Amino acid sequence: MSDQRGFISADQFHPDPYAQSRTSDRTLNAAIVRADISRSYEEYLEIFDEFYADDIEGSSNTTEEPIRGKAGVRAS
């Protein structure tokens, strides 16, 4: 059984871009801190889906090429 938690979207406040960025960062960080991997890894996947763009680009210590897209990040 999963513990359902909602995220507060920074978009609903419509502040200036700097304040919106700070609010988004704080919301993301709080969601990561509250997530409990011992209960379920799905919480992290929900956070990933909510906060990261579909065209995310990441890196890995095991590959020189960037990892592109949510599917690519999930697979690595």
Side-chain angles (χ1 to χ4, degrees), residues 10-69:
D11 293 336
Q12 59 188 290
F13 300 115
H14 304 292
D16 67 85
Y18 176 73
Q20 185 175 6
S21 175
R22 286 184 51 189
T23 301
S24 294
D25 285 347
R26 288 179 180 162
T27 304
L28 169 59
N29 290 337
I32 291 169
V33 169
R34 280 192 316 264
D36 184 358
I37 198 166
S38 67
R39 283 193 310 241
S40 166
Y41 189 73
E42 283 77 25
E43 283 186 72
Y44 287 99
L45 294 176
E46 289 173 13
I47 293 168
F48 180 72
D49 286 338
E50 178 74 21
F51 289 95
Y52 291 89
D54 291 334
D55 61 349
I56 185 172
E57 185 174 301
S59 62
S60 170
N61 293 335
T62 60
T63 180
E64 292 182 28
E65 292 295 316
I67 302 166
R68 292 188 174 87

